[in-house]
């Protein structure tokens, strides 16, 4: 058994781990080991944005987790891929850049994550990014993460969708990551110079030139090593050999919302009944480990398109070849975008304070994994209820680190979540039937016009919804009985051990999770290094001043609060 000495050991080279590896090695005195189970991310299928469906569905690049039968989804088992490659899930995701609403982070503060409200986290969002259209009170202009709008909505369907939202009485927002999330507008993506801008590209590659960073790939971590209530290192396997690495300062788990709770449990940290049932000695009882699991669901609202402007005409092998060759030679064209170039964030009903429904608009009718393309021209909206009340779990099954944990989200267990998806169906139909879509809108393919009643919508949703691939909150940050880490990201009751990734979110934000995960790692890096946090922001945020009485603000008086 080989042993090595470092100051910090980071487990997982994903959206958070790459950020930490970069920021901690800015101090040349810190010796950092970064462990990743996967390997290189240099595949064209990872780097070319339009190929996003391939790495997500490839065992080489992603853990192909599957849930237990979900009892409220007709016992369907749901696909739960997680990145297993340098860059982690930022190397296999859809590259959509959404921070979440300001109130999402104020909600974290109210849940006991002191210091993580919007005023405090906005500066870290800015620190992380370079926004293609320049910095301001909300956007950064000198960070590692390149963010833009792909092909700037050249397809006319993108702007037609935005106009339809305005026709329906919603607002148009010029930057949903800025002062106003609520409304319809251009969508942002983590793409730079036509290439996927994962945290491996943005953060890790520059850091790998530093002599104080060691990156070990194809390394499966077995457990965190403990001496009493102090983390001293990790045990991992590489190439059939078992190694131990020691951390003089801290071990940091950044293995994601499935991997991090699983590793804690493998190490004897978690709920007593879960550990004992798996035959694992309880080293530290912490009942919240693996609990509070949350995710976003979505379904595809599909329509025929009356004009030959959709991407369905580009899905044959010849056009795919031309798109790929152009991207290889020039890094532009349809190969350089994820195709989600317009979007919407709305509130499902009056009395909802901030948006809880999200639209990704796609000028094609196809599955997220690229299969089952619709015959003929079409377009679709990915729509989901983004503030679920249902909660699930991640539970270790045995002491064997190679055995996947039990995963169950309990999707749609809560009636409020089912109501949210009924709203998704009815509000979407209203939006797409606005005049702006008249020249494009054809027949409704899915759900189908016969799906009208609550019962019919519920049945459709149970069969049609898919994960949006946003597992989170399974090692929640806070101070209550289920909190796993404190507001400093330290595991409660264990010295020298932290968790820094999307598992520590107290609640899931209204949006995709890559951006807030990167923000969490940026802020955590300052906490770990003992640096003064960035100056809080006083930038105002739009809130509809009549949210309690109306579902959409229309063109009425707008307020900044």
């Amino acid at each position: 058994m080989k042993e090595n000495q470092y100051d910090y050991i980071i487990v997982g080279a994903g959206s958070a781990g790459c950020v930490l590896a970069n920021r901690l090695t800015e101090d040349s005195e810190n010796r950092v080991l970064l462990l990743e189970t996967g390997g290189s991310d240099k595949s064209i299928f990872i780097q070319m944005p339009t190929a996003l469906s391939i790495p997500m569905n490839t065992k080489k690049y992603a853990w192909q987790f599957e849930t237990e039968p979900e009892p409220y989804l007709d016992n369907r088992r749901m696909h739960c891929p997680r990145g297993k490659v340098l860059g982690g899930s930022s190397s296999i995701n859809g590259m959509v850049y959404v921070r979440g609403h300001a109130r999402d982070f104020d909600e974290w503060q109210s849940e006991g994550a002191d210091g993580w409200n919007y005023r405090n986290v906005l500066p870290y969002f800015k620190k992380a990014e370079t926004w293609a259209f320049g910095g301001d009170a909300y956007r950064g202009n000198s960070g590692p993460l390149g963010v833009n709008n792909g092909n700037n909505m050249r397809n006319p369907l993108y702007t037609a969708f935005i106009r339809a939202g305005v026709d329906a009485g919603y607002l148009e927002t010029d930057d949903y990551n800025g002062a106003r999330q609520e409304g319809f507008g251009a969508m942002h993506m983590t793409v730079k110079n036509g290439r996927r801008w994962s945290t491996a590209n943005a953060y890790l590659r520059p850091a790998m030139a530093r002599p104080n960073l060691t990156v070990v790939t194809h390394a499966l971590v077995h457990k965190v090593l403990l001496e009493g209530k102090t983390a001293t290192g990790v045990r991992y396997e590489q190439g059939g050999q078992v190694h131990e690495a020691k951390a003089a300062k801290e071990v940091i788990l950044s293995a994601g919302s499935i991997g991090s709770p699983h590793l804690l449990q493998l190490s004897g940290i978690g709920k007593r009944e879960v550990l004992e049932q798996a035959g694992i000695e309880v080293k530290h009882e912490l009942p919240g480990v693996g609990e509070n699991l949350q995710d976003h669901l979505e379904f595809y609202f599909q329509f025929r398109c009356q004009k030959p402007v959709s991407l369905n005409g580009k899905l044959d092998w010849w056009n795919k070849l031309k798109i790929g060759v152009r991207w290889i030679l020039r890094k532009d064209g349809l190969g350089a975008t994820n195709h989600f170039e317009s979007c919407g964030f709305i509130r499902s009903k009056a009395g909802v304070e901030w948006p809880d429904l999200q639209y990704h608009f796609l000028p094609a009718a196809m599955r997220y994994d690229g299969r089952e393309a619709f015959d003929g021209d079409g377009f679709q909206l990915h729509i989901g209820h983004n503030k679920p009340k249902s909660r699930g779990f991640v539970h270790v099954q045995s002491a064997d680190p190679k055995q996947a944990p039990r995963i169950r989200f309990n999707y749609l267990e809560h009636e409020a979540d089912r109501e949210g998806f009924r709203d998704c169906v009815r509000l979407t139909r209203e939006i797409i039937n606005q005049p702006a879509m008249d020249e494009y809108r054809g027949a409704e393919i899915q759900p189908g016009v016969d799906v009208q009643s609550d019962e019919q919508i519920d049945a459709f949703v149970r069969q049609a919804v898919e994960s949006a691939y946003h597992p989170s909150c399974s090692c929640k940050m806070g101070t209550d009985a289920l909190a796993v880490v404190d507001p400093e990201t330290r595991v409660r009751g264990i010295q020298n051990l932290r968790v820094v990734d999307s598992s520590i979110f107290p609640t899931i934000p209204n949006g995709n999770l890559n951006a807030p995960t990167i923000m969490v790692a940026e802020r955590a890096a300052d906490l770990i290094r003992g640096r003064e946090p960035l100056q809080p922001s006083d930038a105002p945020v739009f809130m509809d001043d009549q949210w309690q009485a109306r579902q959409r603000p229309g063109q009425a008086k707008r307020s900044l609060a």
Side-chain angles (χ1 to χ4, degrees):
M1 186 178 294
K2 297 182 179 179
E3 183 174 304
N4 298 289
Q5 296 278 347
Y6 300 90
D7 293 306
Y8 295 99
I9 298 173
I10 303 166
V11 179
S15 294
C18 290
V19 175
L20 293 173
N22 183 299
R23 296 308 187 190
L24 295 182
T25 56
E26 286 177 335
D27 183 343
S28 62
E29 298 299 311
N30 287 333
R31 297 163 300 154
V32 176
L33 172 65
L34 177 64
L35 297 170
E36 169 56 45
T37 307
S40 170
D41 64 328
K42 291 184 178 179
S43 165
I44 187 175
F45 298 119
I46 289 177
Q47 299 300 326
M48 182 166 60
T50 196
L52 62 94
S53 68
I54 296 174
M56 182 180 296
N57 293 284
T58 303
K59 289 183 178 180
K60 180 179 180 180
Y61 301 124
W63 299 96
Q64 300 296 324
F65 293 123
E66 192 176 64
T67 71
E68 294 189 333
E70 290 288 348
Y72 307 95
L73 295 184
D74 294 342
N75 289 317
R76 294 164 57 204
R77 291 183 181 270
M78 304 293 282
H79 187 212
C80 184
R82 296 286 84 205
K84 186 176 64 173
V85 62
L86 291 178
S89 292
S90 76
S91 288
I92 69 166
N93 68 1
M95 292 156 283
V96 175
Y97 183 84
V98 181
R99 295 175 175 179
H101 194 279
R103 289 288 193 264
D104 290 323
F105 305 103
D106 294 341
E107 184 177 71
W108 287 12
Q109 175 95 11
S110 71
E111 289 277 326
D114 189 49
W116 292 86
N117 60 5
Y118 184 67
R119 294 185 68 245
N120 287 311
V121 304
L122 176 55
Y124 287 97
F125 279 118
K126 292 181 62 178
K127 179 181 180 180
E129 79 168 343
T130 293
W131 172 228
F133 300 102
D136 57 25
Y138 304 90
R139 306 306 298 260
N141 61 6
S142 58
L145 194 68
V147 182
N148 64 25
N149 178 241
N151 285 329
N152 298 316
M153 301 194 298
R154 290 176 188 166
N155 190 300
L157 287 166
Y158 292 123
T159 51
F161 173 64
I162 295 170
R163 292 198 310 272
V166 175
D167 287 348
Y170 300 98
L171 300 173
E172 182 172 354
T173 177
D174 59 359
D175 184 358
Y176 63 84
N177 284 310
R180 183 170 65 231
Q181 185 191 65
E182 187 167 358
F184 288 73
M187 187 161 244
H188 311 154
M189 63 189 73
T190 49
V191 172
K192 182 178 180 180
N193 298 327
R195 185 187 297 270
R196 175 194 289 272
W197 213 239
S198 64
T199 55
N201 284 333
Y203 286 89
L204 184 57
R205 288 224 154 68
M208 288 174 75
R210 299 170 184 157
N212 56 332
L213 175 62
T214 300
V215 179
V216 178
T217 56
H218 305 293
L220 177 66
V221 176
H222 289 189
K223 61 166 57 175
V224 177
L225 301 174
L226 299 171
E227 291 183 6
K229 300 289 185 178
T230 301
T232 60
V234 300
R235 180 174 298 158
Y236 68 96
E237 180 181 336
Q238 185 198 42
Q241 285 191 304
V242 176
H243 307 260
E244 286 190 355
K246 295 292 187 177
K249 293 181 179 179
E250 291 185 338
V251 174
I252 306 164
L253 301 185
S254 296
S257 291
I258 307 300
S260 287
H262 189 218
L263 267 173
L264 288 173
Q265 293 165 346
L266 287 168
S267 308
I269 302 170
K271 184 186 289 189
R272 178 174 295 276
E273 312 90 88
V274 172
L275 300 181
E276 290 178 345
Q277 188 171 1
I280 296 172
E281 179 187 354
V282 180
K283 299 290 186 69
H284 178 64
E285 189 168 5
L286 198 56
V289 174
E291 308 303 313
N292 195 49
L293 179 66
Q294 298 167 46
D295 190 17
H296 290 144
L297 286 172
E298 65 180 15
F299 69 87
Y300 314 147
F301 217 122
Q302 295 182 325
F303 293 84
R304 291 184 182 273
C305 184
Q306 297 189 108
K307 289 189 172 183
V309 295
S310 78
L311 298 178
N312 285 71
K314 305 290 186 183
L315 296 177
D316 61 279
W317 71 270
W318 175 243
N319 274 291
K320 285 183 176 180
L321 177 62
K322 289 194 295 183
I323 291 167
V325 169
R326 176 172 174 171
W327 183 84
I328 290 169
L329 296 176
R330 299 171 49 180
K331 298 297 184 292
D332 66 2
L334 292 176
T337 175
N338 62 12
H339 306 292
F340 295 115
E341 296 186 19
S342 66
C343 64
F345 297 88
I346 65 175
R347 292 177 289 115
S348 58
K349 55 178 62 71
V352 173
E353 187 178 0
W354 68 91
D356 60 339
L357 305 185
Q358 178 182 2
Y359 290 100
H360 299 67
F361 183 85
L362 183 69
M366 60 190 294
R367 289 174 55 88
Y368 195 93
D369 60 13
R371 293 185 287 116
E372 298 181 17
F374 173 66
D375 183 21
D377 277 281
F379 60 86
Q380 69 190 37
L381 302 89
H382 294 219
I383 172 64
H385 177 247
N386 271 9
K387 296 297 288 183
K389 294 185 180 296
S390 303
R391 301 289 184 264
F393 60 79
V394 177
H395 287 171
V396 66
Q397 295 197 76
S398 78
D400 180 2
K402 296 177 183 177
Q403 182 173 4
R406 293 173 57 214
I407 303 167
R408 192 167 81 206
F409 289 91
N410 290 317
Y411 293 119
L412 301 186
E413 177 184 25
H414 201 287
E415 173 63 18
D417 301 346
R418 298 191 288 272
E419 288 179 2
F421 273 92
R422 294 170 201 148
D423 294 330
C424 287
V425 172
R426 291 176 173 132
L427 293 172
T428 301
R429 282 185 174 138
E430 182 185 8
I431 292 165
I432 297 302
N433 279 290
Q434 296 300 317
M437 296 299 296
D438 283 351
E439 62 180 305
Y440 303 109
R441 182 185 58 253
E444 179 181 316
I445 303 303
Q446 183 177 290
V449 293
D450 56 333
V451 177
Q452 295 288 340
S453 69
D454 286 358
E455 293 75 18
Q456 290 168 331
I457 292 173
D458 288 351
F460 163 77
V461 168
R462 286 195 302 271
Q463 281 298 309
V465 288
E466 299 182 6
S467 171
Y469 310 124
H470 300 161
S472 54
C473 309
S474 53
C475 294
K476 69 172 287 189
M477 175 167 47
T479 56
D480 64 22
L482 284 182
V484 174
V485 302
D486 67 14
E488 302 283 309
T489 73
R490 301 171 297 203
V491 174
R492 298 173 67 201
I494 298 289
Q495 297 295 311
N496 301 342
L497 180 61
R498 296 185 197 244
V499 181
V500 179
D501 55 33
S502 62
S503 72
I504 71 172
F505 296 1
T507 56
I508 192 167
N510 178 41
N512 309 66
L513 299 193
N514 193 44
T517 302
I518 292 168
M519 175 277 291
V520 162
E522 283 278 18
R523 191 169 189 274
D526 277 355
L527 296 173
I528 293 165
R529 296 174 67 182
R531 302 175 69 180
E532 278 293 312
L534 298 179
Q535 186 69 27
S537 170
D538 289 319
V541 174
F542 169 85
M543 301 294 296
D544 181 8
D545 56 7
Q546 297 182 46
W547 63 268
Q548 291 175 308
R550 64 187 179 193
Q551 181 259 333
R552 67 197 79 179
Q555 299 304 314
K557 177 178 176 290
R558 306 170 188 182
S559 68
L560 289 175

